[in-house]
Amino acid sequence: MSHQELIETRDVVPAPTIDMHRAIQALIGELQALDANNQRIEACTDPELRLLLAHQRDTGRRQLAMLLEWMRRRDARLDKDMKELMFKAGPIVAQYHYKEERDE
């Protein structure tokens, strides 16, 4: 099964869920492109081509951000979590309240 296919049949999945699936798949594609472009930029020896690849990467970053914003606006829990956890100073894990496990 392709990662782009729905798990359930379309007749039982509401349109907003299908749209969210589309956005998630597009986000995955943008993340993969970001990774590939970063690797290409690092490996490239031609300065002009590096600039072109960097521009392509940066355009993908904006598309990635727009997809996340679209998803945030349509998913109340994602909206809450992103507002609570993103764009904060300090260690990332300090924002979470994990139980400390101790060896006894």
Side-chain angles (χ1 to χ4, degrees):
M1 175 190 297
S2 167
H3 68 277
Q4 293 186 0
E5 294 178 12
L6 293 170
I7 302 296
E8 302 293 335
T9 60
R10 286 186 177 271
D11 59 325
V12 298
V13 178
T17 302
I18 293 173
D19 285 342
M20 183 61 75
H21 175 74
R22 289 180 180 118
I24 291 167
Q25 293 307 310
L27 184 65
I28 290 169
E30 290 299 335
L31 288 167
Q32 290 171 331
L34 178 62
D35 179 41
N37 285 326
N38 280 332
Q39 291 181 46
R40 288 181 185 116
I41 291 164
E42 290 299 320
C44 185
T45 58
D46 183 282
E48 188 172 20
L49 180 56
R50 281 178 69 112
L51 288 172
L52 292 169
L53 293 172
H55 174 75
Q56 182 180 20
R57 177 204 54 209
D58 294 343
T59 299
R61 283 180 174 155
R62 287 187 289 278
Q63 292 169 340
L64 192 149
M66 287 187 287
L67 284 164
L68 280 172
E69 178 61 10
W70 183 92
M71 293 168 65
R72 183 194 65 78
R73 291 180 183 188
R74 284 156 180 82
D75 182 326
R77 179 60 188 258
L78 182 61
D79 178 52
K80 178 184 176 294
D81 289 344
M82 288 176 80
K83 285 178 179 175
E84 181 180 315
L85 302 171
M86 294 181 73
F87 307 106
K88 309 284 188 210
I92 294 169
V93 294
Q95 298 175 49
Y96 300 95
H97 303 286
Y98 294 113
K99 280 186 173 180
E100 289 187 29
E101 295 181 3
R102 297 184 180 144
D103 293 330
E104 295 181 18

